[in-house]
Every structure is written in structure tokens, then in C-alpha cells.
Amino acid sequence: MAGLVLVNWLMSWQRLEIFKMLLASFFPLAVMIVAVLGSIVFGLATPTEAAAVGAFGGLLLAGAYRYIAARQAKTGNAVMKTVSDLGASSRSRRS
């Protein structure tokens, strides 16, 4: 019984959500950094070549993050939605 309680505490929903966010945001960047520095340390590339590969990898990551964010925000105009939501909340306070 104590084992089940421990597993439930260790694998709670909130902890899994934090791990998923960490996995999606930190690990791709960490892999790119290790690949660039590893290629320099192991002599596979000069620092200039590794910097070019890192810059290209950064562009790919930025494009991937932008694509994912655009797919998650299914509304076309997030600014207008935010303004309308804030306007609705300020109107409800006045009455």
C-alpha cells in the first residue's frame, strides 16, 4: 500500500505536466548545444563550422516552436481575442 502511495505521489499529474514542458522546451536546445560543443571537442568541426551548424539548428528550432505555437493557438488573431476578453471583464466590473 505504501508503495502505491509513493508511486502516486511521484507520478502525480502536476509533475508529469512539468516534465512534459521540460521535455518540449529544454531538451531540444540542450541536445543542440551538446552536439555543437561535442563536434568541436571531438574534432569533427572547427568552431566556425560548429557555429554555423548551431545557427542553422537554432533557426530550425525557432521555426518548429513557431509552427507548434501557431497550431496550438487555433484562433487567427490572439491579440484581438485578448482585448475582447479584457474588455468583457472590465465591463462586468463596472456594473
Side-chain angles (χ1 to χ4, degrees):
M1 182 67 173
L4 287 175
V5 171
L6 181 66
V7 167
N8 187 28
W9 179 77
L10 289 174
M11 300 301 284
S12 68
W13 181 255
Q14 202 170 28
R15 289 182 187 270
L16 285 175
E17 287 296 316
I18 291 171
F19 182 71
K20 279 176 29 181
M21 287 189 312
L22 182 69
L23 190 65
S25 64
F26 175 71
F27 287 137
L29 183 61
V31 166
M32 187 176 69
I33 291 171
V34 168
V36 167
L37 293 178
S39 67
I40 294 171
V41 169
F42 291 116
L44 299 174
T46 65
T48 305
E49 293 167 341
V53 170
F56 183 70
L59 284 173
L60 288 179
L61 277 178
Y65 287 150
R66 183 174 181 179
Y67 177 76
I68 290 170
R71 292 207 30 138
Q72 287 178 349
K74 292 184 181 181
T75 60
N77 197 349
V79 173
M80 289 306 295
K81 175 132 174 64
T82 302
V83 169
S84 69
D85 289 347
L86 291 175
S89 66
S90 67
R91 275 186 263 145
S92 65
R93 289 181 183 172
R94 290 181 191 161
S95 33

